[in-house]
Amino acid sequence: MKTDARRRLPSVDAVVRAAGDVGAQRDRFVRAVREVLAEARTSGAALDEASAATVARARLATRDRRSLRRVINATGVVLQTNLGRAPLAPAAIDAIADATGAVSVEYDLDAGRRGERHGHAARLLAELSGAEDGVVANNNAAAVLLALSAIASRREVIVARGELVEIGGGFRIPDVLRRSGAKLVEVGTTNRTYVRDYAAAITERTGAILRVHASNFKVSGFVASPEDRSLGALARERGVAFIHDLGSGTFIDTSRYGLAREETVREAVAAGADVVTFSGDKLLGGPQAGLAVGRASAIAALRAHPLMRAVRPDKITLAALVATLELYRDGRAESDIPVWRMIAATQSTLTKRARALAAALARQGAEAEVIETESTIGGGSLPEETQPSRAVALGARHGHANELAARLRATTPPVIARVIEDRVALDLRSVQAEDDELLARTVTAALAEGE
Ligand SMILES: *Cc1c(COP(=O)(O)O)cnc(C)c1O
């Protein structure tokens, strides 16, 4: 009976007394106790002082647990957007630590006066891409918006119908174009567009030709689209700008790792684009950022645009980005940048690591088997391209796969796995090798807890 239960409930004071020392959290603890008692009153549940205190404490602990936490990415997706895309290189992490205090972000150390925020990365970006200049925004979506706003606002922008894409997270090229104040002019068809389609659409109102990388899908079969070089030549001949949103953007030839060949940033620049935009945290392997490189006059227009102030990167991002770009300059990208180390990992290395993990788990009594998997790049890069990888599949006796996957997400650090044929699979390509031991310990503990 409800009335009995209510009679059995302790007072808030009694629960707080029973809880003993709650430290600096007293007010919040009292509120939690009130909530717990109110709920018990409604549900008719019986609670004594001690258990009400325990429930209130647990509730506060859950509430206070951070939702933004370090995790182990065992999904086999190297650039998992939901897991923060590119893990940073040690040099970038050190640079971040260095930049947390006072830094010369807008200070010219030679002249001893105000300096340029954009100068730090510009020289490196130009050097690496072969462009005249570069500028950094806080992500590529912002870089595209900025480029369109600065170069083609109130003018027409010509885009192939097959490139009017949605990248994800609501980033749709037609919408971004509209937001920038430009007017969209569609040319060609979904599958085939020719240079003559662009040429026929150019008028005195045209501000730019925009080319967008189809980052997350593939059209095959009866398809045609012009070479960058032809578009660049057309744009120059007719006096309009050529903006190329490369999406991922890479400085390294992806075909060296058995993947499809991606046009590099340098090639896109050489093909005659006025502005090439790409992400900092996709194949570049750096922090979230949007990079725009190209002709000096075009980049100067971006830098001078009022939107620049709203989309500029912070000192932490700049520090990590510059450190990452330096690794490319010094020829250490493939050895030092986690994304490239993951992509470059050979099957024999992955097998060795998977065997070691399986053996460590087996020593603790777990059923673990090395299986062959296909890992992907993800992050809107190289759609449908896979690399052969290795995973450790956990035995069925550990419970239903989804339950086990949930248990792994509840560990510290949470382990994010995928389910393959009703088994939880820990794919090692997306795990940094330095984390293998931590992964073994964490999974062992999670399995033991479930016994
Ligand atoms: C990923 C992507 C974007 C958005 O880049 P963010 O850095 O995530 O903002 C824009 N355009 C293309 C073609 C992309 O692939």
Side-chain angles (χ1 to χ4, degrees), residues 85 138-142 144 165 167 171 173 212-216 245-248 278-282 288-290 379-381:
R85 288 193 188 152
N138 55 27
N139 57 31
N140 187 32
V144 174
V165 301
I167 309 301
F171 184 78
I173 290 299
V212 185
H213 189 282
S215 45
N216 46 16
D245 174 16
L246 257 190
S248 183
F278 53 105
S279 288
D281 57 351
K282 291 184 179 172
Q288 180 191 301
S381 311

Side-chain angles (χ1 to χ4, degrees), residues 174-186:
D175 297 341
V176 174
L177 256 167
R178 212 165 301 128
R179 291 280 160 193
S180 73
K183 185 171 177 299
L184 170 64
V185 173
E186 301 175 22

Side-chain angles (χ1 to χ4, degrees), residues 148-149 151-157 177 180-183 205-207:
L148 288 168
S149 306
I151 290 172
S153 185
R154 285 194 287 277
R155 314 208 52 154
E156 292 179 355
V157 172
L177 256 167
S180 73
K183 185 171 177 299
R205 294 181 303 278
T206 306

Side-chain angles (χ1 to χ4, degrees), residues 59-72:
R59 177 172 300 215
L60 268 192
T62 307
R63 200 172 285 167
D64 292 350
R65 199 174 63 201
R66 285 187 189 161
S67 51
L68 180 63
R69 296 166 70 196
R70 176 249 166 109
V71 304
I72 295 181

